[in-house]
Structures are given as C-alpha cells and as structure tokens.
Amino acid sequence: MDCDCGVRREIEGFGPDEGLYQRVPIRAGDVETLVDPADLKVDPCLLESYPLSGERLERAGRAAGFTPRSDLDYFLSAHRSEAGSVPMASLLADLGRINTFFTLESAPPGPGWEPVMRGEPTGSRLAAEVEVVRARIGTRFGGRPEDVEWRVAASLFHQSLSSRVLSPVLAAAVLHGVRLDPFHLFLRTGHDGPMTLRTIDHEATPLPERSPEAIAARVEATALAGLSRVVHALRDIGRISPRLLNGNTSSSLAGAARALSEARPEHREVVEEVARLLLEGPSLKGGGGHTEVDEHGRPVFRRTTCCLYYRIPNGGKCGDCVLLHRGGFRGLIPS
C-alpha cells in the first residue's frame, strides 16, 4: 500500500467493556492482506475500522509481532496524526527523569496486566491487590498478612496508585501540552514489588488549550474521575472511609506538583495554579490544601485525614499528616 493520508495504522484489541486493551502499530505495507479486496476497492486508503479474526488476525499478529488474546475483539484501525503530538517513548523518557512516581513503561501489557481505572474496577481484582500489599508489609516486619489491618493496606495501595497516575498525567500536560490518557494505563497485577504501570498508547496528542484552568479540567475529568471509581470500589470491599482515600488523592496530587515544581522550576507557577484549582475542585475539596508557605515561598500542603501509615510497625507519620499538627487543618492560603 502506497498511501500518503497522514495516518498511523494499528491493530487494536477491545475487551468486554468495549475498552481498549491492546494496541500494536503495523506498517502500512502489511495491511492490504488483512482486509477483503472488496473493502480495498471502496476504501483504498483503508481509513475505516475493519474487524480481524481467524487467519487474518493470525496474519496481523505475525506482521505486527504480537500474540492475539482470545478474549479480545480485534480491528485494523487508522488514526490521523495530530500536529503537536509527541512520541510516547520520548515523552516517558523525559518524565522518568523527574522521579520514580513519574515513570511509566511503554512495553505492550501482556498477561497479568489489567487496566487501572476503566469502567468500574472489580472488587475481586482490587481485593487481590490489597492482599499483596498486606503480605508485603507483613513479611517486611516478620509477621503475617492478617497481622496488617485491611484498611491500612487498602489505603497504601490507593496512595501509591494515585501518585503513579497523577504524576505523569500532570507532568505531560504542563511540560509538553499533551494528553496522557489515564484510561489507557495498565497495572501489573499480583506483583510483589514496586507498583508498575504501562501505557498502551504510542503517542500523546496535544491539548486543545494549555491554560491552568484547561489542564485542571482535563485532569479532573479523566484521572480524578477514574481514581474516584477506585475509591468507591474499595469502600464496597471493606471498611474504609472514602474521605480518607480522597485525602490520599489530594496528598498524591500535592506531592506530584511539588516534585514537578522543584524539578522544572520554569513551570512552577502553572503547576501550583493547577494544583490549587484541583484541590479546591469538586473531586478533592475538603481533602486538604495549601495552608502556608515554606522558607522558599513554596506552598505547603496539609491534609485533613491520615493515610494510616503510622499503624504499621515503625511506620511513623507523613509530613502532611493531620495528626502532626495541633488543632488539625487550619485552612487554606487565600486564593
């Protein structure tokens, strides 16, 4: 196929919730054999989406170098590349230089990788992840999983997830003006080690607007909306306060904003304004806020709840914990 339509061609696999689970690029020269000749006559550039199954799907797997999953429905798709899009490899390389919470992998998520926030997270999947955290904490202190309170493990799992979702999403928007889709992030499930996330996207498309208000609205509608589903699912599994979990999200956002401001001080003003808008927005309002400034004039975040880390042996209290400050939360710096 010799087509100059300005599109990227991919094999996409969709799951039962109609969400995208697999995305693999394929060369334009390999796509002609994947569709019916009659379709090629009507659509010579193959700009429509075409279902793949049987021998054609196997052929697509060989050409694109992936193993089709039996539980997914596959399509040959064409997507127009937008001006200002950033290759995912270069984006992730830049974000990974900030710190580990901004790091994402771009390798295809295979067996054992599940979408983080698509649809309603299943109770069984999240419950299993909390049990992994309980076991890891118990082993660290010579105990058993049941020695660790379920709500403590649930809180620490949620805090880690919030940080690893919000940090790269915020940085991609502020530093590069692009959308890193949190609904295309996958979690390595059952992994007894640092939490690892992967994206199935191969490029990040530009934001239509880069103002702090526009960035905050985007993060609110995507990353925070997805994390709120996790909050409600954990609440339904066991006894844990949604307010506590929302405090975790607020703390994760504030931590991401502070790290980003310190690593890229030229973006500090925008980062701090985005964080302020989100902390005062509908999803996070009441979870904490910037109550003072430090000796460098940077806002200091205090949360209104505790993540419960102090309830594990030698856990201590986090710097923004409400339990560290007499009188609790004292109120926000005036906007």
Side-chain angles (χ1 to χ4, degrees), residues 248-298:
N248 285 352
T249 308
S250 298
S251 178
S252 295
L253 172 68
R258 188 174 182 88
L260 185 53
S261 295
E262 292 175 353
R264 308 292 167 86
E266 67 275 20
H267 295 280
R268 173 181 161 183
E269 185 176 341
V270 173
V271 172
E272 291 180 357
E273 178 62 8
V274 172
R276 184 189 68 80
L277 290 168
L278 289 169
L279 290 171
E280 297 177 7
S283 294
L284 300 182
K285 190 173 182 62
H290 295 129
T291 60
E292 56 197 277
V293 295
D294 64 15
E295 64 274 19
H296 303 291
R298 295 174 299 202

CSV table of all heavy atoms in Angstrom, one decimal, residues 248-298:
chain,number,residue,atom,x,y,z
A,248,ASN,N,-5.9,10.8,50.4
A,248,ASN,CA,-4.7,10.2,49.7
A,248,ASN,C,-4.5,10.8,48.4
A,248,ASN,O,-3.4,11.2,48.0
A,248,ASN,CB,-4.9,8.7,49.6
A,248,ASN,CG,-4.8,7.9,50.8
A,248,ASN,OD1,-4.3,8.5,51.9
A,248,ASN,ND2,-5.1,6.7,50.8
A,249,THR,N,-5.6,11.0,47.6
A,249,THR,CA,-5.5,11.5,46.3
A,249,THR,C,-5.0,13.0,46.3
A,249,THR,O,-4.2,13.4,45.5
A,249,THR,CB,-6.9,11.5,45.6
A,249,THR,OG1,-7.4,10.1,45.6
A,249,THR,CG2,-6.7,11.9,44.1
A,250,SER,N,-5.5,13.7,47.3
A,250,SER,CA,-5.1,15.1,47.4
A,250,SER,C,-3.6,15.2,47.7
A,250,SER,O,-2.9,16.0,47.2
A,250,SER,CB,-5.9,15.8,48.5
A,250,SER,OG,-7.3,15.9,48.2
A,251,SER,N,-3.2,14.3,48.7
A,251,SER,CA,-1.8,14.3,49.0
A,251,SER,C,-0.9,13.9,47.8
A,251,SER,O,0.2,14.5,47.6
A,251,SER,CB,-1.6,13.3,50.2
A,251,SER,OG,-0.2,13.2,50.6
A,252,SER,N,-1.4,12.9,47.1
A,252,SER,CA,-0.6,12.5,45.9
A,252,SER,C,-0.5,13.6,44.9
A,252,SER,O,0.6,13.8,44.3
A,252,SER,CB,-1.3,11.3,45.2
A,252,SER,OG,-1.3,10.2,46.1
A,253,LEU,N,-1.6,14.4,44.7
A,253,LEU,CA,-1.5,15.5,43.7
A,253,LEU,C,-0.5,16.6,44.2
A,253,LEU,O,0.3,17.1,43.5
A,253,LEU,CB,-2.9,16.1,43.6
A,253,LEU,CG,-3.0,17.4,42.8
A,253,LEU,CD1,-2.6,17.1,41.3
A,253,LEU,CD2,-4.3,18.0,42.9
A,254,ALA,N,-0.6,16.9,45.5
A,254,ALA,CA,0.2,17.9,46.1
A,254,ALA,C,1.7,17.5,46.0
A,254,ALA,O,2.6,18.3,45.7
A,254,ALA,CB,-0.1,18.2,47.5
A,255,GLY,N,2.0,16.2,46.2
A,255,GLY,CA,3.3,15.7,46.1
A,255,GLY,C,3.9,15.7,44.7
A,255,GLY,O,5.0,16.1,44.5
A,256,ALA,N,3.0,15.4,43.8
A,256,ALA,CA,3.4,15.4,42.3
A,256,ALA,C,3.7,16.9,41.9
A,256,ALA,O,4.7,17.1,41.2
A,256,ALA,CB,2.3,14.8,41.5
A,257,ALA,N,2.8,17.8,42.3
A,257,ALA,CA,3.0,19.2,42.0
A,257,ALA,C,4.3,19.7,42.6
A,257,ALA,O,5.1,20.5,41.9
A,257,ALA,CB,1.8,20.0,42.4
A,258,ARG,N,4.6,19.4,43.8
A,258,ARG,CA,5.8,19.9,44.5
A,258,ARG,C,7.1,19.3,43.8
A,258,ARG,O,8.0,20.1,43.5
A,258,ARG,CB,5.8,19.5,45.9
A,258,ARG,CG,7.0,20.2,46.7
A,258,ARG,CD,6.8,19.9,48.2
A,258,ARG,NE,7.9,20.5,49.0
A,258,ARG,CZ,7.8,21.8,49.4
A,258,ARG,NH1,6.8,22.5,49.2
A,258,ARG,NH2,8.8,22.3,50.1
A,259,ALA,N,7.1,18.0,43.5
A,259,ALA,CA,8.2,17.4,42.8
A,259,ALA,C,8.4,18.0,41.4
A,259,ALA,O,9.6,18.3,41.0
A,259,ALA,CB,8.0,15.9,42.7
A,260,LEU,N,7.3,18.2,40.7
A,260,LEU,CA,7.4,18.8,39.4
A,260,LEU,C,7.9,20.2,39.4
A,260,LEU,O,8.8,20.6,38.6
A,260,LEU,CB,6.0,18.7,38.7
A,260,LEU,CG,5.9,19.2,37.2
A,260,LEU,CD1,6.9,18.4,36.4
A,260,LEU,CD2,4.5,18.9,36.7
A,261,SER,N,7.5,21.0,40.4
A,261,SER,CA,7.9,22.4,40.5
A,261,SER,C,9.4,22.5,40.8
A,261,SER,O,10.1,23.3,40.4
A,261,SER,CB,7.1,23.1,41.6
A,261,SER,OG,5.8,23.2,41.3
A,262,GLU,N,9.9,21.5,41.7
A,262,GLU,CA,11.3,21.5,42.0
A,262,GLU,C,12.2,21.1,40.9
A,262,GLU,O,13.3,21.6,40.7
A,262,GLU,CB,11.5,20.6,43.3
A,262,GLU,CG,10.9,21.2,44.5
A,262,GLU,CD,11.0,20.3,45.7
A,262,GLU,OE1,11.4,19.1,45.5
A,262,GLU,OE2,10.6,20.7,46.8
A,263,ALA,N,11.7,20.1,40.1
A,263,ALA,CA,12.5,19.6,39.0
A,263,ALA,C,12.5,20.5,37.8
A,263,ALA,O,13.5,20.6,37.1
A,263,ALA,CB,12.0,18.2,38.6
A,264,ARG,N,11.4,21.2,37.6
A,264,ARG,CA,11.2,22.1,36.4
A,264,ARG,C,10.7,23.4,36.9
A,264,ARG,O,9.5,23.8,36.7
A,264,ARG,CB,10.3,21.5,35.4
A,264,ARG,CG,10.6,20.0,35.0
A,264,ARG,CD,11.9,20.0,34.2
A,264,ARG,NE,12.4,18.6,34.1
A,264,ARG,CZ,12.0,17.7,33.1
A,264,ARG,NH1,11.1,18.1,32.2
A,264,ARG,NH2,12.4,16.5,33.1
A,265,PRO,N,11.6,24.2,37.6
A,265,PRO,CA,11.1,25.4,38.2
A,265,PRO,C,10.5,26.5,37.2
A,265,PRO,O,9.8,27.3,37.7
A,265,PRO,CB,12.4,26.0,38.9
A,265,PRO,CG,13.5,25.3,38.2
A,265,PRO,CD,13.0,23.9,37.8
A,266,GLU,N,10.9,26.4,36.0
A,266,GLU,CA,10.3,27.3,35.0
A,266,GLU,C,8.8,27.1,34.8
A,266,GLU,O,8.1,28.0,34.3
A,266,GLU,CB,11.0,27.2,33.6
A,266,GLU,CG,10.8,25.9,32.9
A,266,GLU,CD,11.8,24.7,33.3
A,266,GLU,OE1,12.4,24.8,34.4
A,266,GLU,OE2,11.9,23.8,32.6
A,267,HIS,N,8.3,26.0,35.3
A,267,HIS,CA,6.8,25.7,35.1
A,267,HIS,C,6.1,25.8,36.5
A,267,HIS,O,5.0,25.4,36.6
A,267,HIS,CB,6.6,24.3,34.6
A,267,HIS,CG,7.1,24.1,33.2
A,267,HIS,ND1,6.4,24.5,32.1
A,267,HIS,CD2,8.3,23.6,32.7
A,267,HIS,CE1,7.1,24.2,31.0
A,267,HIS,NE2,8.2,23.7,31.3
A,268,ARG,N,6.9,26.3,37.5
A,268,ARG,CA,6.3,26.3,38.9
A,268,ARG,C,5.0,27.0,39.0
A,268,ARG,O,4.0,26.5,39.6
A,268,ARG,CB,7.3,26.9,39.8
A,268,ARG,CG,6.8,27.1,41.2
A,268,ARG,CD,7.8,27.7,42.1
A,268,ARG,NE,7.2,28.3,43.3
A,268,ARG,CZ,7.9,29.0,44.2
A,268,ARG,NH1,9.2,29.2,44.1
A,268,ARG,NH2,7.2,29.5,45.3
A,269,GLU,N,4.9,28.2,38.4
A,269,GLU,CA,3.7,29.0,38.5
A,269,GLU,C,2.4,28.2,38.0
A,269,GLU,O,1.4,28.2,38.6
A,269,GLU,CB,3.8,30.3,37.8
A,269,GLU,CG,2.7,31.3,38.0
A,269,GLU,CD,2.9,32.6,37.4
A,269,GLU,OE1,4.1,33.0,37.1
A,269,GLU,OE2,1.9,33.4,37.1
A,270,VAL,N,2.6,27.6,36.8
A,270,VAL,CA,1.5,26.9,36.2
A,270,VAL,C,1.1,25.7,37.1
A,270,VAL,O,0.0,25.4,37.4
A,270,VAL,CB,1.8,26.5,34.8
A,270,VAL,CG1,0.7,25.6,34.2
A,270,VAL,CG2,1.9,27.7,33.9
A,271,VAL,N,2.2,24.9,37.5
A,271,VAL,CA,1.9,23.7,38.3
A,271,VAL,C,1.2,24.1,39.6
A,271,VAL,O,0.2,23.4,39.9
A,271,VAL,CB,3.3,23.1,38.6
A,271,VAL,CG1,3.1,21.9,39.6
A,271,VAL,CG2,4.0,22.5,37.4
A,272,GLU,N,1.6,25.1,40.3
A,272,GLU,CA,1.0,25.4,41.5
A,272,GLU,C,-0.5,25.9,41.3
A,272,GLU,O,-1.3,25.6,42.2
A,272,GLU,CB,1.8,26.5,42.3
A,272,GLU,CG,3.1,26.0,42.8
A,272,GLU,CD,3.9,27.0,43.5
A,272,GLU,OE1,3.5,28.2,43.5
A,272,GLU,OE2,5.0,26.7,44.0
A,273,GLU,N,-0.7,26.6,40.2
A,273,GLU,CA,-2.1,27.0,40.0
A,273,GLU,C,-3.0,25.8,39.6
A,273,GLU,O,-4.2,25.8,40.1
A,273,GLU,CB,-2.1,28.1,38.9
A,273,GLU,CG,-3.5,28.6,38.5
A,273,GLU,CD,-4.3,29.3,39.6
A,273,GLU,OE1,-3.7,29.5,40.7
A,273,GLU,OE2,-5.5,29.6,39.4
A,274,VAL,N,-2.5,24.9,38.8
A,274,VAL,CA,-3.3,23.7,38.5
A,274,VAL,C,-3.6,22.9,39.8
A,274,VAL,O,-4.7,22.5,40.0
A,274,VAL,CB,-2.5,22.8,37.5
A,274,VAL,CG1,-3.2,21.5,37.3
A,274,VAL,CG2,-2.4,23.5,36.2
A,275,ALA,N,-2.6,22.8,40.6
A,275,ALA,CA,-2.8,22.0,41.9
A,275,ALA,C,-3.9,22.7,42.7
A,275,ALA,O,-4.7,22.1,43.3
A,275,ALA,CB,-1.5,21.9,42.6
A,276,ARG,N,-3.8,24.0,42.8
A,276,ARG,CA,-4.7,24.8,43.7
A,276,ARG,C,-6.1,24.6,43.1
A,276,ARG,O,-7.1,24.3,43.9
A,276,ARG,CB,-4.4,26.3,43.7
A,276,ARG,CG,-5.3,27.1,44.6
A,276,ARG,CD,-5.1,28.6,44.4
A,276,ARG,NE,-5.5,29.0,43.1
A,276,ARG,CZ,-6.8,29.3,42.8
A,276,ARG,NH1,-7.8,29.1,43.7
A,276,ARG,NH2,-7.1,29.7,41.6
A,277,LEU,N,-6.3,24.7,41.8
A,277,LEU,CA,-7.6,24.5,41.2
A,277,LEU,C,-8.2,23.1,41.5
A,277,LEU,O,-9.4,23.0,41.8
A,277,LEU,CB,-7.6,24.8,39.7
A,277,LEU,CG,-7.3,26.2,39.3
A,277,LEU,CD1,-7.0,26.3,37.8
A,277,LEU,CD2,-8.5,27.1,39.6
A,278,LEU,N,-7.4,22.1,41.4
A,278,LEU,CA,-7.8,20.8,41.6
A,278,LEU,C,-8.1,20.5,43.1
A,278,LEU,O,-9.1,19.8,43.4
A,278,LEU,CB,-6.8,19.8,41.1
A,278,LEU,CG,-6.6,19.7,39.6
A,278,LEU,CD1,-5.4,18.9,39.2
A,278,LEU,CD2,-7.9,19.1,39.0
A,279,LEU,N,-7.3,21.0,44.0
A,279,LEU,CA,-7.5,20.8,45.4
A,279,LEU,C,-8.8,21.5,45.9
A,279,LEU,O,-9.4,21.0,46.8
A,279,LEU,CB,-6.3,21.3,46.2
A,279,LEU,CG,-5.1,20.4,46.1
A,279,LEU,CD1,-3.9,21.1,46.7
A,279,LEU,CD2,-5.3,19.0,46.7
A,280,GLU,N,-9.2,22.5,45.2
A,280,GLU,CA,-10.4,23.2,45.6
A,280,GLU,C,-11.6,22.8,44.7
A,280,GLU,O,-12.7,23.3,44.9
A,280,GLU,CB,-10.2,24.8,45.4
A,280,GLU,CG,-9.1,25.3,46.4
A,280,GLU,CD,-8.9,26.8,46.2
A,280,GLU,OE1,-9.6,27.4,45.4
A,280,GLU,OE2,-7.9,27.3,46.9
A,281,GLY,N,-11.3,21.9,43.8
A,281,GLY,CA,-12.4,21.5,42.8
A,281,GLY,C,-13.3,20.4,43.4
A,281,GLY,O,-13.1,20.0,44.6
A,282,PRO,N,-14.3,20.0,42.7
A,282,PRO,CA,-15.3,19.1,43.2
A,282,PRO,C,-14.8,17.7,43.7
A,282,PRO,O,-15.4,17.2,44.6
A,282,PRO,CB,-16.3,19.0,42.0
A,282,PRO,CG,-15.5,19.3,40.8
A,282,PRO,CD,-14.5,20.3,41.3
A,283,SER,N,-13.8,17.2,43.0
A,283,SER,CA,-13.4,15.8,43.4
A,283,SER,C,-12.6,15.8,44.7
A,283,SER,O,-12.7,14.9,45.5
A,283,SER,CB,-12.5,15.2,42.3
A,283,SER,OG,-13.3,15.0,41.1
A,284,LEU,N,-11.8,16.8,45.0
A,284,LEU,CA,-10.8,16.8,46.1
A,284,LEU,C,-11.2,17.8,47.2
A,284,LEU,O,-10.5,17.8,48.2
A,284,LEU,CB,-9.4,17.1,45.6
A,284,LEU,CG,-8.9,16.1,44.6
A,284,LEU,CD1,-7.4,16.4,44.2
A,284,LEU,CD2,-9.0,14.6,45.1
A,285,LYS,N,-12.1,18.6,47.0
A,285,LYS,CA,-12.4,19.7,48.0
A,285,LYS,C,-12.7,19.0,49.4
A,285,LYS,O,-13.4,18.1,49.5
A,285,LYS,CB,-13.7,20.5,47.6
A,285,LYS,CG,-13.9,21.7,48.4
A,285,LYS,CD,-15.0,22.5,47.9
A,285,LYS,CE,-15.2,23.8,48.7
A,285,LYS,NZ,-14.1,24.7,48.6
A,286,GLY,N,-12.0,19.5,50.4
A,286,GLY,CA,-12.1,19.0,51.7
A,286,GLY,C,-11.0,18.0,52.1
A,286,GLY,O,-10.9,17.6,53.2
A,287,GLY,N,-10.2,17.6,51.1
A,287,GLY,CA,-9.2,16.6,51.4
A,287,GLY,C,-7.9,17.2,51.9
A,287,GLY,O,-7.0,16.5,52.4
A,288,GLY,N,-7.7,18.5,51.8
A,288,GLY,CA,-6.5,19.2,52.2
A,288,GLY,C,-6.3,20.4,51.3
A,288,GLY,O,-7.0,20.6,50.3
A,289,GLY,N,-5.2,21.1,51.6
A,289,GLY,CA,-4.9,22.3,50.8
A,289,GLY,C,-3.6,22.9,51.3
A,289,GLY,O,-2.9,22.4,52.2
A,290,HIS,N,-3.2,23.9,50.6
A,290,HIS,CA,-2.0,24.7,50.9
A,290,HIS,C,-2.3,25.7,52.0
A,290,HIS,O,-3.1,26.6,51.8
A,290,HIS,CB,-1.5,25.4,49.6
A,290,HIS,CG,-1.0,24.4,48.6
A,290,HIS,ND1,-1.4,24.5,47.3
A,290,HIS,CD2,-0.2,23.3,48.7
A,290,HIS,CE1,-0.9,23.5,46.6
A,290,HIS,NE2,-0.1,22.8,47.4
A,291,THR,N,-1.7,25.5,53.2
A,291,THR,CA,-2.1,26.3,54.3
A,291,THR,C,-1.0,27.3,54.7
A,291,THR,O,-1.3,28.2,55.5
A,291,THR,CB,-2.3,25.4,55.5
A,291,THR,OG1,-1.0,24.7,55.8
A,291,THR,CG2,-3.4,24.3,55.3
A,292,GLU,N,0.2,27.2,54.1
A,292,GLU,CA,1.2,28.2,54.4
A,292,GLU,C,2.3,28.0,53.3
A,292,GLU,O,2.1,27.3,52.4
A,292,GLU,CB,1.8,27.8,55.8
A,292,GLU,CG,2.3,26.4,55.9
A,292,GLU,CD,2.5,25.9,57.3
A,292,GLU,OE1,3.6,26.2,57.8
A,292,GLU,OE2,1.6,25.2,57.8
A,293,VAL,N,3.3,28.8,53.4
A,293,VAL,CA,4.5,28.7,52.5
A,293,VAL,C,5.7,28.4,53.3
A,293,VAL,O,5.8,28.7,54.5
A,293,VAL,CB,4.6,30.0,51.7
A,293,VAL,CG1,3.4,30.2,50.8
A,293,VAL,CG2,4.9,31.2,52.5
A,294,ASP,N,6.7,27.7,52.6
A,294,ASP,CA,7.9,27.4,53.3
A,294,ASP,C,8.9,28.6,53.1
A,294,ASP,O,8.6,29.6,52.6
A,294,ASP,CB,8.5,26.1,52.8
A,294,ASP,CG,8.9,26.1,51.3
A,294,ASP,OD1,9.0,27.2,50.7
A,294,ASP,OD2,9.1,25.0,50.7
A,295,GLU,N,10.2,28.3,53.6
A,295,GLU,CA,11.2,29.4,53.5
A,295,GLU,C,11.6,29.8,52.1
A,295,GLU,O,12.1,30.9,51.9
A,295,GLU,CB,12.4,29.0,54.3
A,295,GLU,CG,13.2,27.8,53.7
A,295,GLU,CD,12.7,26.4,54.2
A,295,GLU,OE1,11.5,26.4,54.7
A,295,GLU,OE2,13.4,25.4,54.0
A,296,HIS,N,11.2,29.0,51.1
A,296,HIS,CA,11.4,29.3,49.7
A,296,HIS,C,10.2,29.9,49.0
A,296,HIS,O,10.2,30.1,47.8
A,296,HIS,CB,11.9,28.0,49.0
A,296,HIS,CG,13.1,27.4,49.6
A,296,HIS,ND1,14.4,28.0,49.5
A,296,HIS,CD2,13.3,26.2,50.2
A,296,HIS,CE1,15.2,27.2,50.1
A,296,HIS,NE2,14.6,26.1,50.6
A,297,GLY,N,9.2,30.1,49.8
A,297,GLY,CA,8.0,30.7,49.2
A,297,GLY,C,7.1,29.7,48.5
A,297,GLY,O,6.1,30.0,47.8
A,298,ARG,N,7.4,28.4,48.7
A,298,ARG,CA,6.6,27.3,48.0
A,298,ARG,C,5.4,26.9,49.0
A,298,ARG,O,5.6,26.8,50.2
A,298,ARG,CB,7.5,26.1,47.7
A,298,ARG,CG,8.5,26.4,46.7
A,298,ARG,CD,9.5,25.2,46.6
A,298,ARG,NE,10.2,24.9,47.8
A,298,ARG,CZ,11.3,24.2,47.9
A,298,ARG,NH1,11.9,23.8,46.8
A,298,ARG,NH2,11.9,23.9,49.0
